[in-house]
Amino acid sequence: MFLVTGCNGQLGTALQSLLGNSAIYIDKEDLDLTNEATVREYFSNHTFDFVINCAAYTAVDKAEEDFDTAQKVNELAPLYLAKYAKRVIHVSTDYVFDGTSHTPYTEDTPTNPLSVYGKTKRQGEENVLKYSDTAIVIRTAWLYSPHGNNFVKTMRKLGSERESLNVVFDQIGSPTNAYDLAKAIVSALPQIKQGEKEIFHFTNEGVCSWYDFALEIMNQSNLKCKVFPIESKDYPTPAHRPHYSVLNKKKIKQRFNIEIPHWKEGLKQCLKQF
């Protein structure tokens, strides 16, 4: 039996569709992961093969002003899960890197997070790897699904309301369908060895800018909205975003023998669910 935290988010919802009755699903209303005593008590009464931690504070810009909450959710909750659940799959982010590379980041590339979100997520990774008996950290990027708030849903909404949009073209990465990530996690579960502690990278295959991604969303959604490229400096945000955050996925593909769809195919499959 597995436990999925953050079950109402994009990834948690995708995992529900795949794991079904083989997991228990909780969100913040069911268990306060930021309260150590509560977490300790919960796991003294419940045992799981793995906890898949999808719970995160992901409001990247808001985190710049709300460090306390970001720290509690992204650093302390993973720490408590690691200490008391002992076997954890923890989902992390490309924001642990500074974006100055020009080649895809491997798992052992030194991290250098520039935002509160990135810094708290990086500390969460370290907590999970240090305190768990068995730990798998999976960094992902540009996650989207039919659920929750994400770039695909925002572009479709704005694309149906406006004649044109400006989207940054100088931030490069790989969009990730949450369902494809969930499938990778589920296929990895039976292959994880007791005592294994590793970081892996997962996104869909291929590389694009947010501008390219927006164009493809309009195209696949049959929306007539024109998309124009702008530079990041023309669209300032409170949090610094990595300009290049392409993740090298060789390790996860080889370790768990998985094939990863191209991001355009991932988008196509997601849009079928709208």
Side-chain angles (χ1 to χ4, degrees):
M1 182 64 70
F2 307 107
L3 178 72
V4 177
T5 66
C7 70
N8 294 326
Q10 299 182 98
L11 182 58
T13 304
L15 283 165
Q16 288 189 55
S17 69
L18 291 170
L19 288 171
N21 294 328
S22 61
I24 289 173
Y25 305 95
I26 61 170
D27 219 294
K28 56 190 173 197
E29 304 81 30
D30 308 302
L31 177 66
D32 181 3
L33 296 175
T34 66
N35 183 314
E36 183 170 12
T38 307
V39 175
R40 182 173 59 235
E41 182 182 5
Y42 183 84
F43 287 103
S44 67
N45 296 315
H46 301 82
T47 304
F48 300 97
D49 297 317
F50 265 103
V51 173
I52 306 171
N53 183 33
C54 306
Y57 185 104
T58 57
V60 175
D61 290 323
K62 196 174 165 194
E64 293 297 311
E65 302 168 357
D66 192 10
F67 175 80
D68 286 352
T69 310
Q71 183 185 43
K72 284 177 183 173
V73 179
N74 292 342
E75 290 185 29
L76 297 182
L79 168 65
Y80 303 149
L81 286 172
K83 278 176 73 173
Y84 303 112
K86 294 298 184 186
R87 293 166 60 83
V88 179
I89 295 174
H90 178 66
V91 181
S92 193
T93 174
D94 56 320
Y95 278 63
V96 300
F97 298 113
D98 59 18
T100 57
S101 176
H102 298 289
T103 55
Y105 287 98
T106 63
E107 290 80 358
D108 53 9
T109 304
T111 56
N112 185 31
L114 300 176
S115 63
V116 167
Y117 170 66
K119 288 170 183 172
T120 56
K121 288 296 287 183
R122 175 58 186 143
Q123 189 58 52
E125 292 181 357
E126 292 185 353
N127 290 343
V128 166
L129 292 166
K130 181 176 180 180
Y131 291 100
S132 295
D133 290 343
T134 304
I136 300 295
V137 171
I138 302 179
R139 294 176 182 146
T140 191
W142 297 25
L143 200 68
Y144 66 88
S145 85
H147 309 281
N149 299 315
N150 57 67
F151 187 77
V152 173
K153 290 178 76 174
T154 300
M155 288 299 106
R156 279 171 57 89
K157 181 177 184 294
L158 294 177
S160 64
E161 296 169 352
R162 301 185 189 178
E163 291 184 2
S164 68
L165 284 171
N166 296 330
V167 180
V168 295
F169 76 92
D170 56 356
Q171 292 175 27
I172 308 297
S174 304
T176 308
N177 182 332
Y179 187 79
D180 290 330
L181 173 55
K183 279 201 292 189
I185 291 171
V186 171
S187 58
L189 280 168
Q191 303 181 63
I192 299 169
K193 298 185 181 81
Q194 176 67 29
E196 185 172 5
K197 291 189 178 188
E198 293 286 347
I199 297 174
F200 294 96
H201 288 171
F202 183 96
T203 63
N204 280 112
E205 296 282 19
V207 174
C208 66
S209 69
W210 288 111
Y211 164 73
D212 300 319
F213 192 20
L215 279 179
E216 188 65 20
I217 293 165
M218 299 306 166
N219 182 34
Q220 289 197 24
S221 303
N222 295 312
L223 291 168
K224 299 289 185 265
C225 179
K226 286 188 170 67
V227 183
F228 296 107
I230 59 168
E231 296 178 55
S232 295
K233 66 179 176 63
D234 299 323
Y235 186 74
T237 55
H240 185 98
R241 284 157 167 76
H243 278 278
Y244 181 92
S245 63
V246 180
L247 302 178
N248 186 313
K249 297 168 284 290
K250 181 179 178 182
K251 182 178 175 182
I252 198 169
K253 288 190 284 189
Q254 291 183 341
R255 171 67 182 85
F256 299 114
N257 191 31
I258 57 173
E259 290 185 19
I260 304 176
H262 191 272
W263 69 264
K264 288 186 180 180
E265 180 61 27
L267 176 62
K268 181 179 167 186
Q269 296 306 319
C270 177
L271 292 179
K272 284 181 181 177
Q273 297 177 293
F274 276 85

